[in-house]
Amino acid sequence: MTILNEGKDIFLYQGDTGNITFKKLPTDKNYNVYLSIYNPDENTIIKELQGTYTQAAGVVLFSVSEDISNSLPVGDWVYGLKICSGGSEDTLLPRAYIDESGALIKEPAPKFTVDYKVVEGN
């Protein structure tokens, strides 16, 4: 398992398996939670995953299989995280908010790096 998500950035090798976890999500509704890997140069979503959300804990787990990681193109991408419930959709990452002066602040999207498979294994 070489899926690293220290801080907000995520790194994985093609072919590796593991989990990506996010904590401290809102717990007021039973959300569907999505993680999209995004190519900002082409303005396209490369892959979108739906996670397993535990409402009581406010935690979502995205399971990455070998097939999923092999399907991701090598490169430096970004990702977004969205919660959905009852027709409402809210993007949590990248974060956008209004500061104390009333200015719109748009934080940069966190990185999602995919590197070449270096060992085949089985």
Side-chain angles (χ1 to χ4, degrees):
M1 175 187 103
T2 303
I3 297 179
L4 306 173
N5 60 317
E6 300 299 318
K8 289 184 183 176
D9 294 340
I10 298 172
F11 171 87
L12 63 82
Y13 287 109
Q14 287 178 324
D16 282 359
T17 62
N19 298 312
I20 300 169
T21 304
F22 293 90
K23 301 176 182 176
K24 299 182 181 178
L25 274 66
T27 58
D28 58 321
K29 298 177 185 171
N30 189 23
Y31 290 103
N32 291 317
V33 185
Y34 300 91
L35 172 76
S36 287
I37 303 159
Y38 181 77
N39 179 340
D41 295 331
E42 296 183 9
N43 195 28
T44 56
I45 294 173
I46 296 169
K47 183 73 130 183
E48 187 164 86
L49 306 173
Q50 184 172 359
T52 302
Y53 173 67
T54 304
Q55 182 179 2
V59 173
V60 65
L61 178 97
F62 295 94
S63 294
V64 179
S65 67
E66 180 182 5
D67 288 341
I68 290 171
S69 66
N70 276 331
S71 74
L72 298 174
V74 170
D76 293 316
W77 316 113
V78 297
Y79 72 90
L81 187 70
K82 180 179 272 192
I83 56 174
C84 304
S85 178
S88 173
E89 298 188 19
D90 296 301
T91 299
L92 301 179
L93 294 173
R95 188 170 171 236
Y97 60 94
I98 305 295
D99 72 5
E100 301 82 30
S101 70
L104 173 64
I105 306 298
K106 292 175 28 179
E107 293 182 355
K111 293 180 183 178
F112 194 109
T113 302
V114 179
D115 205 350
Y116 290 103
K117 181 187 299 190
V118 293
V119 177
E120 188 60 47
N122 192 359

